[in-house]
Amino acid sequence: MDRFAYGLATLVGIAATAVGSCGMSGRVGTLRVAWLVPLGGLELTLDPLGGFFLALIGFAAVPASIYAMSSSPAERRDRFAYLVFVFSMCLVPLAANTMTFAIAWELMSLASYFLVLHDRESKRSIYAGWVYAVMTHAGLACLLAGMLLLGAWTGSPRFEDWRAAAPALSSAARNAVFVLLGLGFAGKAGVIPLHVWLPLAHPAAPSHVSALMSGVMIKLGVYGLLRVSLDWLGVGPAWWGVAILAAGAASSVIGVLYALVDHDLKRLLAFHSIENIGIILLGVGSAVLYHRAGLPAPALLGLAAALYHTVNHAAFKALLFLGAGAVVHATGTRNMEDLGGSAAIAALPPLNGFVSEWLTFVALFQNRHLDAVGLNLVFILGIASLALTGGLAMACFVKAFGITFLALPRSDAAARAHEAPVTMRLAMLTLAASCVALGLGATLVIPVLGAVAASVLGQPPPATVGDWLTLQVSGSYASLSTPAIAIALGAAFLVPLIALPLVRASRRTRYYETWGCGRILQTARMEYTATAFANPFKRVFDFFYRPAKHLDIEFHPESRFFVKRIEYENPARSIFDDWLYRPALDLLRSGARAAGALQSGSANLYLAYILAALLLMLVLA
């Protein structure tokens, strides 16, 4: 039964990829369900942007479903919820009216909630599920409020009618709808400061579910933001683009800063999802600002860069979560401090993350076409945040790989690590190959994404992006050849293999232990830890982490000169928990206690409440 459910999910993913690819080509079809028309109707439609996200869902669902076939029985327990999750995600980019969208969105949220809560005995899973449920339904409330208001003001619940009628609405009405819908979609995307559910829910879910939640589900929040800022409401004021770009800058930097100091492998990857959503929003925000300023070429470049990083992040983040699941399967732990011995996301050439981040840089540098000084300052903020994010991400994944896989095992579980099953390795190899292909095939990918971006912006698709080897961007402003970089790197690796025999170097292999600073015996306790690696960054960004130091020393009972045990902790604190969510919860509790005082149990007092309410209604009437 398990294999059948995940096999069916694989078929759904293949079908979604095929149908989405057809939609990206521009062929649009509409389906209406007649017996629900009195309630507003269920309506599905397919356009290039919806086709792109539908194909993206299928692209990630196929390897994740294959991987799930070899997961543990506990992780396969909610197979029906997983199937509903994949199917409902496919419906979201196809929805053509409010009712269809709300049903698909809520199905996706409920299915993912049960998947997050798959370990019903764990308090962490229960807490993660509770936070996720609260945040996702708060977002749904914002979405429904914005959609119902827009439907009432335009006279239709259909998205196609919004495109025609919304630009004629007052600026106050359009701004109110943008704020409501923006908050709802940003919460699902995990944008700072609405991200609190993401580092809790992703580690709690099974690894194949985490791969889909991070790889594609949060991208549906990006899909919604694209619809709101560039499609449904027409061209908006400049502050829409500034808000998106600033949110992207904050999310990219803060996400990677939190990832640097986290030692739970899946939580680290969850924080990196926040970082990469920020990078995507940098491209989206630049496209919104360029589109409003009447600069079609830079707008097209910014949106194409955002779409490129969207698909790139789906590939390498799904791969990373599946890899983390394989580590947990082999060792039984996600804590990097207990591992050891058992690079596309770092944006290194010639892989896919490098290409999309390079395109985002080029798009942001097109701000030279803008005359507004204030907007240029916002773009400078975006450029600086992207540069800082790239450097910190590189350091973070040096830690993630080195501490997890290198040196001596730090625990018995790591020492007994075993290889992952064949289906797990097949799924990961497929995604790894896609990371390489998306990087080397940039000249083939960009025209397709450029056509999708052009359909959103109402522009003709770009005529050319260079030849088969070189990607030309913004005329002659910048060019990139990832195949040439790959050839150069390959040649650099081959040079020693060729040069050493020419100089008659000895080919005899000598094995010896790593130099240990003069110590004869090296143990796992002497190795660099994840805490030690992150400590310099914690010192530099002390104002942000605000670490709380705890030192516990236990001396030997016979003498205070001999220490028996030392425990040192230096955990970072979340400024959003301390400054936003905890004060809000405290205020809510105070209000609940005040309201609870009204429940006195006195019938006379309740009758007085009713009388006061009736008098107030008479006065207002």
Side-chain angles (χ1 to χ4, degrees):
M1 184 64 183
D2 290 345
R3 293 185 180 275
F4 174 78
Y6 290 112
L8 187 57
T10 304
L11 293 177
V12 171
I14 294 172
T17 305
V19 175
S21 300
C22 293
M24 291 170 65
S25 66
R27 284 174 282 178
V28 178
T30 302
L31 171 68
R32 294 183 67 86
V33 181
W35 60 84
L36 289 177
V37 168
L39 299 177
L42 292 180
E43 185 178 358
L44 304 177
T45 188
L46 188 64
D47 64 0
L49 183 63
F52 168 80
F53 280 92
L54 181 61
L56 185 71
I57 293 166
F59 164 74
V62 171
S65 302
I66 294 173
Y67 178 98
M69 294 179 185
S70 296
S71 58
S72 66
E75 292 182 327
R76 297 197 304 267
R77 181 172 53 196
D78 296 313
R79 53 191 177 274
F80 177 72
Y82 177 82
L83 189 58
V84 173
F85 180 49
V86 173
F87 181 72
S88 57
M89 280 197 298
C90 293
L91 291 179
V92 170
L94 294 174
N97 61 23
T98 300
M99 181 177 178
T100 310
F101 185 90
I103 291 174
W105 191 268
E106 183 63 5
L107 271 177
M108 176 184 71
S109 299
L110 288 175
S112 54
Y113 165 76
F114 285 110
L115 292 168
V116 169
L117 202 62
H118 81 104
D119 186 3
R120 272 78 169 178
E121 304 300 324
S122 171
K123 291 184 178 180
R124 288 188 176 183
S125 292
I126 294 172
Y127 178 70
W130 180 81
V131 173
Y132 176 59
V134 170
M135 293 300 295
T136 196
H137 284 93
L140 178 64
C142 291
L143 292 178
L144 288 178
M147 289 184 170
L148 292 175
L149 284 176
L150 190 55
W153 290 334
T154 58
S156 173
R158 300 182 69 240
F159 299 160
E160 186 66 31
D161 297 331
W162 293 357
R163 298 184 182 98
L169 296 176
S170 66
S171 59
R174 295 172 70 230
N175 288 338
V177 171
F178 175 81
V179 170
L180 287 170
L181 295 182
L183 287 173
F185 288 125
K188 180 63 71 177
V191 177
I192 298 289
L194 306 175
H195 68 290
V196 290
W197 65 271
L198 200 149
L200 297 173
H202 287 200
S207 296
H208 57 281
V209 176
S210 301
L212 286 184
M213 291 180 70
S214 183
V216 290
M217 188 191 76
I218 62 174
K219 304 301 182 357
L220 293 178
V222 175
Y223 166 78
L225 289 172
L226 287 172
R227 290 292 190 194
V228 172
S229 58
L230 292 170
D231 186 19
W232 294 341
L233 299 178
V235 179
W239 74 265
W240 290 7
V242 170
I244 295 174
L245 203 152
S251 297
S252 61
V253 175
I254 294 175
V256 74
L257 283 175
Y258 277 131
L260 266 169
V261 297
D262 208 297
H263 309 323
D264 184 306
L265 193 55
K266 291 181 70 174
R267 274 177 58 89
L268 180 148
L269 296 179
F271 280 120
H272 269 287
S273 293
I274 300 170
E275 169 221 333
N276 283 277
I277 286 294
I279 294 173
I280 294 169
L281 292 188
L282 289 176
V284 174
S286 67
V288 172
L289 289 171
Y290 292 142
H291 187 52
R292 182 186 181 277
L295 299 170
L300 193 64
L301 177 60
L303 186 52
L307 295 178
Y308 205 161
H309 201 73
T310 298
V311 67
N312 286 342
H313 179 253
F316 59 62
K317 186 49 63 71
L319 173 60
L320 285 165
F321 268 111
L322 296 186
V327 171
V328 175
H329 182 274
T331 64
T333 181
R334 303 193 311 253
N335 187 355
M336 286 184 285
E337 303 286 29
D338 294 334
L339 296 172
S342 31
I345 193 172
L348 297 178
L351 299 177
N352 54 343
F354 168 75
V355 181
S356 53
E357 290 196 26
W358 178 83
L359 281 174
T360 305
F361 265 120
V362 176
L364 293 174
F365 277 115
Q366 301 306 303
N367 70 320
R368 69 188 195 280
H369 297 295
L370 295 172
D371 296 328
V373 176
L375 292 182
N376 280 301
L377 291 176
V378 175
F379 275 91
I380 291 172
L381 171 66
I383 293 168
S385 66
L386 185 56
L388 179 61
T389 298
L392 293 177
M394 177 79 173
C396 186
F397 278 93
V398 168
K399 180 191 86 168
F401 178 80
I403 301 299
T404 303
F405 295 106
L406 302 182
L408 298 172
R410 297 177 179 86
S411 65
D412 293 337
R416 293 192 301 267
H418 55 83
E419 185 57 87
V422 175
T423 52
M424 286 186 173
R425 283 179 281 166
L426 176 63
M428 291 186 286
L429 283 173
T430 302
L431 290 169
S434 69
C435 290
V436 176
L438 286 167
L440 296 179
T443 55
L444 302 176
V445 176
I446 284 295
V448 177
L449 299 183
V452 175
S455 70
V456 177
L457 299 171
Q459 301 176 16
T464 180
V465 294
D467 54 32
W468 67 273
L469 183 65
T470 304
L471 181 66
Q472 296 284 348
V473 177
S474 189
S476 59
Y477 180 78
S479 61
L480 174 68
S481 177
T482 46
I485 295 174
I487 292 171
L489 291 174
F493 283 113
L494 290 175
V495 165
L497 298 179
I498 299 172
L500 289 176
L502 291 178
V503 298
R504 297 181 179 180
S506 174
R507 302 185 64 180
R508 185 170 62 88
T509 304
R510 292 182 298 171
Y511 295 95
Y512 200 72
E513 64 182 16
T514 304
W515 184 67
C517 300
R519 293 191 64 93
I520 298 176
L521 179 63
Q522 192 78 359
T523 67
R525 294 186 63 186
M526 303 172 187
E527 295 171 357
Y528 218 56
T529 64
T531 301
F533 190 99
N535 195 53
F537 299 98
K538 196 175 288 187
R539 289 175 179 272
V540 172
F541 298 100
D542 181 84
F543 65 94
F544 175 78
Y545 293 123
R546 300 179 305 117
K549 298 180 180 180
H550 304 290
L551 180 63
D552 183 17
I553 303 177
E554 181 182 353
F555 293 95
H556 198 279
E558 296 181 1
S559 174
R560 289 184 55 85
F561 294 100
F562 296 94
V563 176
K564 183 178 180 181
R565 180 183 56 86
I566 297 179
E567 289 187 4
Y568 175 74
E569 290 183 312
N570 191 23
R573 293 183 292 171
S574 171
I575 60 173
F576 300 101
D577 287 348
D578 291 349
W579 295 352
L580 178 60
Y581 289 101
R582 285 199 185 111
L585 287 174
D586 291 341
L587 183 62
L588 186 62
R589 290 192 188 98
S590 299
R593 284 194 294 269
L598 299 176
Q599 302 294 325
S600 64
S602 171
N604 292 334
L605 191 58
Y606 294 157
L607 291 173
Y609 294 159
I610 296 172
L611 178 61
L614 289 173
L615 290 175
L616 180 62
M617 292 173 65
L618 288 172
V619 171
L620 294 176

